[in-house]
Amino acid sequence: MVSTLIPPKIASPSGIGASADAARMQRVVSFYERLPRGPAPEHKPHGLLQRYQHRYFNGKNPSAMPLVHVIGTMILLGYAQNYYFHLRHHKNNAH
């Protein structure tokens, strides 16, 4: 869509008769000439969370692995809570 922002070549200052408009058009043309062309550079993720998001959410093929990670974390936290609040009291009491 950037190509629609670039003015046509007929909008050059030499094609306009008035000098005040020509100076203003030259500023507009020089602004559009300085704009970068081509695709935007690839953004490199920094930090643990950005790398995780880039790997599983923004990549070429996003996956459902974050759901597996959440479920696994919930299972581990649930077991840790069960052990702390209940199972540790029954450790060696099999009489």
Side-chain angles (χ1 to χ4, degrees), residues 48-68:
L48 186 64
L49 182 61
Q50 285 184 357
R51 285 195 306 260
Y52 185 83
Q53 287 177 341
H54 181 72
R55 180 173 181 181
Y56 292 112
F57 297 114
N58 300 337
K60 302 290 186 243
N61 51 351
S63 70
M65 280 304 289
L67 292 175
V68 174

Side-chain angles (χ1 to χ4, degrees), residues 10-91:
I10 59 171
S12 65
S14 61
I16 300 174
S19 63
D21 288 339
R24 192 177 75 202
M25 272 313 280
Q26 181 58 42
R27 288 195 306 269
V28 171
V29 169
S30 65
F31 169 76
Y32 280 106
E33 285 175 346
R34 287 190 306 250
L35 287 177
R37 290 177 177 82
E42 185 74 23
H43 174 69
K44 302 271 184 176
H46 300 289
L48 186 64
L49 182 61
Q50 285 184 357
R51 285 195 306 260
Y52 185 83
Q53 287 177 341
H54 181 72
R55 180 173 181 181
Y56 292 112
F57 297 114
N58 300 337
K60 302 290 186 243
N61 51 351
S63 70
M65 280 304 289
L67 292 175
V68 174
H69 294 156
V70 167
I71 292 170
T73 303
M74 290 175 65
I75 289 172
L76 288 175
L77 288 175
Y79 181 77
Q81 284 182 340
N82 278 335
Y83 181 81
Y84 182 75
F85 290 114
H86 178 73
L87 298 176
R88 69 182 174 141
H89 300 295
H90 302 284
K91 198 161 33 174

